[in-house]
Amino acid sequence: MKNNFIEYCLNKKEAIKDYPSGPDPIAIKIAGKLFALFFEKKGYLVLKCNPVIAENLREQHEDVQPGYHMNKQHWNTIILEGSLPESLIFEMIDHSYDLVVKSLPKSIRESI
């Protein structure tokens, strides 16, 4: 299942894989900006999220927690082997990617 999510992230326009501190975690970036962080050995994924949506997701799903080693307001940790439907995780990946793309300078956004 984890590989599905990594592959899904890498199919996003201009997404690249990076290894900032060895083989684990795997960072997925766009224009040098992180939008997904996979901790394969620990079985979770960290994604950027609108703070209001992040809080709502945490209240609704026990497998969505504040971002591990990240700004807890803007990042969520998603337990991959938990009870979350795969479709919801894909939606959260899309949301994270979109947030990061929107934060990029206009010239870079237009080239993506």
Side-chain angles (χ1 to χ4, degrees), residues 23-63:
D24 197 47
I26 298 170
I28 310 292
K29 298 178 177 182
I30 172 124
K33 301 287 185 177
L34 180 69
F35 76 91
L37 192 60
F38 288 90
F39 289 85
E40 287 192 284
K41 292 178 185 173
K42 295 179 180 180
Y44 56 83
L45 164 64
V46 181
L47 296 169
K48 191 167 185 79
C49 192
N50 172 287
V52 174
I53 295 170
E55 191 60 39
N56 287 336
L57 287 167
R58 292 175 201 161
E59 288 173 4
Q60 295 172 17
H61 306 282
E62 67 181 44
D63 290 328

Side-chain angles (χ1 to χ4, degrees), residues 70-88:
M70 303 296 268
N71 179 317
K72 310 284 187 243
Q73 184 179 7
H74 295 275
W75 292 85
N76 277 336
T77 296
I78 291 81
I79 309 302
L80 295 176
E81 299 300 326
S83 62
L84 290 174
E86 200 171 85
S87 60
L88 179 59

Side-chain angles (χ1 to χ4, degrees), residues 35-36 47-48 75 92-101:
F35 76 91
L47 296 169
K48 191 167 185 79
W75 292 85
M92 289 189 278
I93 291 169
D94 291 342
H95 178 67
S96 181
Y97 177 84
D98 291 344
L99 283 174
V100 173
V101 168

